[in-house]
Amino acid sequence: MASLLLSLSLLRLLSLIIISARLVLEAEACNLQNPTKLFVFGDSYVDTGNFGRDRVASSWKQPYGITFPGEPAGRFSDGRVLTDFLAKYLGVRSPMPYRMRNLTPQYVKYGVNFAYGGTGVFNTSFPYPNMTLQIDFFQSLIADRVYSSADLSNSVALVSVVGNDYTFYLQQYRTTEVAPEFMASVVKQTVKNVARIHRLGVKKIAVNGLQPVGCLPKTTASSSFSLCNSTHNTFARHHNTLLSQGLARLKEKANDNSSFVVLDLFHSFMSVLNHPSTYNMKNPFKPCCVGMGSQYDCGSVDNKTLAKKYRVCDDPRSAFFWDLVHPTQAGWHAVYNNLRSTNALQQLLH
């Protein structure tokens, strides 16, 4: 009887070992399917330092970067931006800026960030690589065999188009309205860019929808940072509708397991702005860092004395916006948490 009980115990133990081994193998298989690289294309909402220190961009001026890493580091914020939070979600290192690829080649294996602040799908007033050229840089790395087809199929691309094309259009034509044909061309080019990245081998691509541009501080400043411009927000919604439709058609044409995901920045921003106390924020429409007068911006200094011509709020963690256009690190973290509550990010895994 004792030997029978011993045999049964051994069988149970063996069964537990087999089950445990199966769970380990399944977990390892799942991890193998998780993305291992992140490639980023776009503008200042995702740029992590492609402007060199010799540039005049505010991202390399004090007080940018005061929260992270403690000094200006090329991010258009007081700290981390959307790229950093998406990388964290995917479980990968935040990709290095393209301009640093030869300085820190050991990090190329985690992906590359090709985004340049101020750029769009077309040329803007900023003389930096638009998205077509950014994808050219990506294609050159592939041609140089920096990445294999397996690397690319096991990666995620983040594409950010948050309004620089429209800003340049309004400046160029000195008008207050964007022609419907131009909006259609911006969205069409964005979808073409996504299709090209997909053809290069990336199967999972996230695209930023347009944020509520009518709620940006540069717009709400006229109302003492209290009222959004509903006309501008209607414009953003229309852009996002066209973008979703275009990516849906692209998904149909792909006819495979690829994912084309719209990151709904509009509703994520509005969720935080409408419920600031939920995210421990005060005066959500008011930027933390502002210039001392209309001729100055966050980071401005006197040309002769180098005296600061800006003010910074007491606690950036309680502010959603950092400057007139960009969120704080806390703002991006709140937006990221809101995006996590949807199924958009989940589609980028496995």
Side-chain angles (χ1 to χ4, degrees):
M1 184 68 177
S3 61
L4 178 60
L5 290 174
L6 179 61
S7 297
L8 290 173
S9 297
L10 289 173
L11 284 173
R12 291 194 186 98
L13 179 60
L14 181 60
S15 177
L16 287 172
I17 291 173
I18 292 173
I19 292 173
S20 297
R22 185 182 301 162
L23 290 173
V24 169
L25 289 173
E26 289 176 354
E28 290 178 347
C30 183
N31 287 335
L32 286 174
Q33 293 175 356
N34 282 346
T36 59
K37 294 169 182 60
L38 176 61
F39 299 104
V40 183
F41 308 86
D43 44 42
S44 60
Y45 270 28
V46 294
D47 185 0
T48 54
N50 270 315
F51 284 97
R53 289 181 179 272
D54 58 329
R55 307 285 182 167
V56 296
S58 58
S59 59
W60 287 105
K61 297 178 181 178
Q62 296 286 353
Y64 286 77
I66 59 171
T67 299
F68 172 84
E71 60 182 359
R75 289 171 172 81
F76 290 81
S77 179
D78 66 308
R80 296 172 178 85
V81 295
L82 182 59
T83 297
D84 303 301
F85 289 108
L86 180 58
K88 178 182 178 181
Y89 177 81
L90 298 174
V92 300
R93 189 184 185 99
S94 192
M96 55 179 279
Y98 175 71
R99 72 175 186 87
M100 296 177 62
R101 66 194 183 284
N102 295 324
L103 298 176
T104 54
Q106 67 272 28
Y107 296 132
V108 173
K109 62 183 178 180
Y110 301 109
V112 175
N113 187 330
F114 301 93
Y116 281 78
T119 63
V121 294
F122 303 123
N123 290 333
T124 66
S125 58
F126 292 85
Y128 307 118
N130 63 24
M131 196 173 294
T132 296
L133 290 175
Q134 292 174 26
I135 300 173
D136 286 346
F137 297 155
F138 181 42
Q139 188 167 354
S140 294
L141 293 181
I142 297 173
D144 291 339
R145 298 185 179 181
V146 175
Y147 300 107
S148 67
S149 57
D151 290 330
L152 298 172
S153 64
N154 198 31
S155 65
V156 168
L158 172 60
V159 175
S160 181
V161 181
V162 295
N164 291 323
D165 293 287
Y166 298 131
T167 299
F168 182 58
Y169 177 94
L170 295 174
Q171 293 172 346
Q172 189 177 25
Y173 291 98
R174 298 182 181 181
T175 179
T176 58
E177 294 183 4
V178 173
E181 304 83 48
F182 184 71
M183 177 188 287
S185 68
V186 169
V187 173
K188 183 178 180 180
Q189 185 61 44
T190 301
V191 174
K192 282 184 176 180
N193 291 340
V194 172
R196 183 181 171 197
I197 294 170
H198 178 257
R199 288 195 303 272
L200 289 172
V202 181
K203 303 300 181 184
K204 300 180 185 297
I205 304 174
V207 185
N208 281 346
L210 204 61
Q211 74 279 34
V213 292
C215 297
L216 297 180
K218 69 175 184 179
T219 300
T220 63
S222 60
S223 64
S224 299
F225 307 111
S226 61
L227 297 175
C228 296
N229 184 303
S230 59
T231 301
H232 291 180
N233 283 350
T234 298
F235 171 89
R237 289 192 185 95
H238 186 41
H239 168 100
N240 293 339
T241 297
L242 293 178
L243 178 64
S244 295
Q245 292 172 347
L247 293 178
R249 289 192 293 269
L250 186 60
K251 171 65 177 176
E252 291 178 2
K253 291 179 180 178
N255 195 28
D256 56 17
N257 62 347
S258 299
S259 296
F260 304 106
V261 179
V262 176
L263 298 185
D264 191 352
L265 295 191
F266 189 100
H267 288 100
S268 294
F269 271 50
M270 292 306 302
S271 177
V272 182
L273 294 173
N274 289 332
H275 307 283
S277 60
T278 303
Y279 302 91
N280 299 314
M281 292 182 178
K282 304 174 183 178
N283 301 319
F285 295 99
K286 187 176 182 179
C288 177
C289 184
V290 293
M292 296 178 182
S294 58
Q295 71 272 38
Y296 298 113
D297 299 308
C298 177
S300 293
V301 296
D302 185 272
N303 291 332
K304 295 181 179 179
T305 65
L306 299 183
K308 296 179 182 178
K309 291 298 180 180
Y310 60 87
R311 299 186 185 91
V312 179
C313 64
D314 294 333
D315 184 12
R317 293 173 299 180
S318 66
F320 180 77
F321 287 109
W322 169 243
D323 56 22
L324 293 179
V325 177
H326 307 96
T328 59
Q329 173 175 293
W332 275 125
H333 187 250
V335 167
Y336 161 70
N337 281 334
N338 191 271
L339 289 171
R340 288 183 63 185
S341 67
T342 70
N343 68 348
L345 295 184
Q346 297 174 13
Q347 297 179 53
L348 303 177
L349 295 174
H350 309 309

